[in-house]
Every structure is written in structure tokens, then in C-alpha cells.
Amino acid sequence: MQGTLGGGLGPGPSAVDGRTLLVCCFVLASALGQMNFTGDQVLRILAKNEKQLSLLRDLESLKPQKVDFWRGPARPSLPVDLRVPFSELKDIKSYLESHGLVYSIMIKDIQVLLDEERETMAKSRRLERSASSFSYSSYHTLEEIYSWIDSFVTENADIVSKIWIGNSFENRSILVLKFSAGDSRRQAIWIDAGIHSREWITHATGIWMARQIVSEYGKDNILTNILNAMDIFLEIVSNPDGFAFTHSMNRLWRKNKSSRPGISCIGVDLNRNWRSGFGGNGSNDNPCSETYRGPYPHSEPEVAATADFITAHGNVKALISIHSYSQMLMYPYGHSLEPVSDQEELYNLAKSAVQALYEVHGIKYTYGSISTTLYVASGITLDWAYDNGIKYSFSFELRDTGRYGFLLPASQIIPTAQETWMALRTIMEHTLNHPY
């Protein structure tokens, strides 16, 4: 039954051995606490037309889900990246081939990259402990990041404070760094990272930028002017439960960890849970989907805490949400193809920011509205922010464009953060110079 969906994606004659191998690997990984992805591949497909996109969307709607879309089907001009478990490779490839969907292998074996990542982290941890230091060029666990936050705030108490804004579903603290050189109730800029927990480069970039703000204040005239007039709020770990889970069990986990009676699948996509456009295209009502929107707007404590804090503040003038991957800088709307009223200004600002980013390491970003640049997505942070009066609302998709995807090597943390900082600085400076 190759080349068909539903029951047609069952095992082929030789898949039993593969499944046996996978089970053995999974048992071993479970003993070590981590899911094993040995033999899993990331395939890239460039759909030629809407019909081929529809065939890929059929894969997305399978129950139970057979594949994990890293870049979902959006439009013919954009590549689709999907992680295929080893046990499903033969049948998924047969399905693609039978429908004339040409694919290339972006990552031949995900576990190889995960093993390298874990080994690099362990080596870095040994060095940090022996030197009693914190490495800004390494990935860290939630506990390590929260410990660093405490030390960072203590060492820079004249300019940085830690704010608790709520608890996650599993009762972890949701923390925000406040950078301020003046009195309270000033205009502010909000930056968040890690709303999708597997996007580790975003947390690492946030940490580096926190240090950059502290070290450059008083030296960099533009940053100094910004901070003398406005506060900066930085939420480095927007999804603490999901992030902890990526370290303890499943490195590729995207959602939060909320559960509900009678529903077997866990987690809500926190970037589909916001009120603006909630439940529209680009979100899913299936709790097992990676883009499950949740039962109602702001149902998730992580979203509610952030929304309540920003609303209560009442004077946030820019919001920047940091994601990965694809190398894009985008503005609203996600839920609609209609241009926002500030389209021209936001487009030109995105263009300037992307140019500033390019000048650091020569990395090219595309830019535009979310719905026209990436895909239609409803219930997202950016749309909520814009609809609540925050004109300068932007979302980054950091490195890369698919060679490593969510598994960007730690060697790229510093250059990624450096270039992102220059784009962010451009947006913040424009916000300062164009009050509204």
C-alpha cells in the first residue's frame, strides 16, 4: 500500500528489523533518561505547487503523527523540512516518491548531532566548574541559567533586577530581567526568547545579550541613550517546563507541558495560545499536534503571565520575540494576509535591521510580515502585541536555514548573538527616536 495515507503508511516488509532496532535504542535511551533519535532523518522537500503542498499537509494530519515538521508546508517557494523517525523512513520516502515529491536529506542521523551537542555541553560544564565561570558560548540547562541569573543580578544590581511574573504549569518560576537606569513606570522594550523549548539558540542569544546590555551601557552611545530613556525587559526562558524537558527527556520538544483530564497528549504551542486570531488558520485543535492552540486564549500560565505583566505595565513600546530557525525578521500579522496600518514603517525598519545584522558576519535574512514571509499563524505573540497598541512588534527566526535546524552547534552561539544584537539595537533605537 505504498504511496497512500492512513493505513497505507504502515510498515513495509523490511521495517520490522528497523523497528526492533529503534525499540532497543529507545530502551537504552530511557535507561539514560533521554529519548534516542538514532536513524531519524530530516528531509527537505520543495513543493512545486499547491497540490504538492496539500500532499505534505496530509502527512501533517496523520493520527497518530508519523512525522515532525520543522518547517511546515507554507507556499511553493519555501522548503518544507520534516523529521522522520527511523521506523517510518521507508514508507514516508515511498509516499514522497510515488507522488513525485523530490526530497533531499538535510540531516542523515539526528542522534549523531545530539551526541555531539551533549559531549560539547559536558566538556564545557567541566571547564566552567574548574574555572568557576560561566561560558557564554555554550548551551545550558534551566538550573544553570537560573543560577546564572541570580549571580548576574547580584553583580550588576545597579542596572539589573530580577522579576518573578508567575509560575509555569509544572510550577517553575517564570523570570524576567529588568534593565533600568532610571525611575519606574518609564516606557519599555520587551524581549522574549525560548517560547518553543527546542530552540536552544534563542536562550543562549538572550543570555549573551543580557551581558551585552550591561557591558556596553556607558560605552555604546546608542544603547546608553536607549537605557537612559527606556527600560528593557528580557524573558530568557519563556517556556521553562518545555525547556527543562528538552534536557531531561526529549531534546526536540516544542510545546509546554500542560495536561488535561481525558486528553492523552501533553502540551500546548504557546505561540498559538494568544488572543489575537486565536483558533484561526495556522493553529490546530488536535492536542497531539505540535501547533495545538490550547482550549481557549491565554489558557496557559506562561502566556497569561507574560500578557498580564505587559498589560499591567501599560507602557511597552516595542516587543521582540526570538525564535529559530530560518533567518528571518518579521512583523504582524501572522493570522491575516491583510497589511497592518504601519506596514510601510515596519517594513523599512525590518530592512534596516536586517542590513545591520548582515554587516556583522555576512548572514542574509529575509523580512516582511509573518503571513507573507513565513506562513499564516494564528494566536501568536506578535499579533496580540500589535493589537494591544505595541506598534514595534517583531519576531526573529535565528540561524540557520536548515543545515542543523534546531540543533545549531554551540560554536555558532556568539556570532548569532552578535549579529542579532545589532538588528535588535536598530529596532530599539528607532523605537526611542519615534515616540508614539
Side-chain angles (χ1 to χ4, degrees), residues 43-88:
L43 307 183
R44 169 162 289 182
I45 303 108
L46 196 59
K48 296 175 184 175
N49 49 46
E50 283 298 327
K51 182 182 178 182
Q52 290 197 339
L53 279 177
S54 180
L55 289 166
L56 291 171
R57 290 190 188 104
D58 288 342
L59 287 175
E60 200 171 18
S61 61
L62 284 176
K63 295 179 183 179
Q65 292 196 305
K66 307 277 187 182
V67 299
D68 169 20
F69 278 89
W70 284 19
R71 293 178 66 169
R75 60 179 59 84
S77 59
L78 287 178
V80 175
D81 294 348
L82 65 159
R83 176 182 65 83
V84 185
F86 177 74
S87 59
E88 305 291 345

Side-chain angles (χ1 to χ4, degrees), residues 282-298:
S283 68
N284 205 305
D285 62 359
N286 173 14
C288 298
S289 167
E290 291 288 358
T291 55
Y292 175 51
R293 61 186 174 236
Y296 54 88
H298 301 199

Side-chain angles (χ1 to χ4, degrees), residues 103-119:
Y103 64 86
S104 57
I105 299 172
M106 295 297 287
I107 301 176
K108 190 174 182 179
D109 188 337
I110 284 179
Q111 192 60 42
V112 171
L113 294 185
L114 294 182
D115 290 344
E116 290 172 358
E117 182 179 72
R118 209 168 295 154
E119 189 178 329

Side-chain angles (χ1 to χ4, degrees), residues 94-354:
S94 293
Y95 174 79
L96 297 174
E97 290 162 5
S98 68
H99 288 97
L101 288 157
V102 179
Y103 64 86
S104 57
I105 299 172
M106 295 297 287
I107 301 176
K108 190 174 182 179
D109 188 337
I110 284 179
Q111 192 60 42
V112 171
L113 294 185
L114 294 182
D115 290 344
E116 290 172 358
E117 182 179 72
R118 209 168 295 154
E119 189 178 329
T120 302
M121 280 184 73
K123 184 178 179 182
S124 173
R125 191 173 289 122
R126 288 193 296 271
L127 290 171
E128 288 180 57
R129 284 173 179 164
S130 64
S132 298
S133 63
F134 183 89
S135 171
Y136 289 86
S137 59
S138 303
Y139 292 121
H140 294 90
T141 64
L142 181 70
E143 293 75 16
E144 289 166 346
I145 292 173
Y146 277 14
S147 175
W148 167 83
I149 284 175
D150 287 337
S151 301
F152 182 72
V153 169
T154 301
E155 292 164 8
N156 302 284
D158 56 326
I159 194 172
V160 189
S161 57
K162 178 180 77 172
I163 302 173
W164 171 89
I165 65 168
N167 283 344
S168 65
F169 182 84
E170 292 181 338
N171 211 34
R172 290 181 173 88
S173 293
I174 303 170
L175 304 177
V176 174
L177 290 175
K178 178 184 180 182
F179 300 84
S180 182
D183 54 15
S184 59
R185 312 309 301 172
R186 301 195 306 166
Q187 292 187 344
I189 293 160
W190 173 275
I191 306 163
D192 63 68
I195 197 168
H196 291 143
S197 49
R198 63 188 176 188
E199 298 167 7
W200 283 11
I201 185 59
T202 70
H203 312 91
T205 296
I207 292 168
W208 186 92
M209 291 195 303
R211 183 184 65 166
Q212 183 75 356
I213 293 169
V214 165
S215 62
E216 291 300 304
Y217 178 67
K219 300 174 187 174
D220 177 337
N221 288 336
I222 290 174
L223 173 65
T224 304
N225 290 338
I226 292 165
L227 211 50
N228 282 342
M230 309 180 80
D231 293 337
I232 299 174
F233 294 98
L234 174 57
E235 184 182 22
I236 293 171
V237 187
S238 302
N239 178 6
D241 295 348
F243 185 58
F245 194 63
T246 62
H247 285 275
S248 66
M249 180 58 72
N250 181 353
R251 171 64 179 86
L252 300 176
W253 188 260
R254 167 185 168 98
K255 302 186 285 184
N256 75 347
K257 290 299 302 303
S258 67
S259 59
R260 286 179 173 79
I263 297 176
S264 59
C265 290
I266 291 172
V268 167
D269 182 346
L270 297 178
N271 202 36
R272 299 295 185 276
N273 189 240
W274 296 75
R275 185 163 287 110
S276 290
F278 180 82
N281 291 335
S283 68
N284 205 305
D285 62 359
N286 173 14
C288 298
S289 167
E290 291 288 358
T291 55
Y292 175 51
R293 61 186 174 236
Y296 54 88
H298 301 199
S299 61
E300 306 311 293
E302 299 88 351
V303 170
T306 301
D308 289 350
F309 180 84
I310 292 172
T311 302
H313 185 281
N315 213 5
V316 174
K317 297 299 181 180
L319 179 144
I320 298 97
S321 193
I322 303 177
H323 294 253
S324 76
Y325 62 97
S326 284
Q327 294 174 196
M328 295 176 174
L329 177 57
M330 298 171 290
Y331 49 83
Y333 280 128
H335 75 270
S336 169
L337 292 170
E338 289 297 312
V340 295
S341 56
D342 300 295
Q343 152 80 17
E344 187 176 358
E345 183 183 4
L346 295 179
Y347 177 88
N348 288 328
L349 178 51
K351 183 179 181 180
S352 298
V354 163

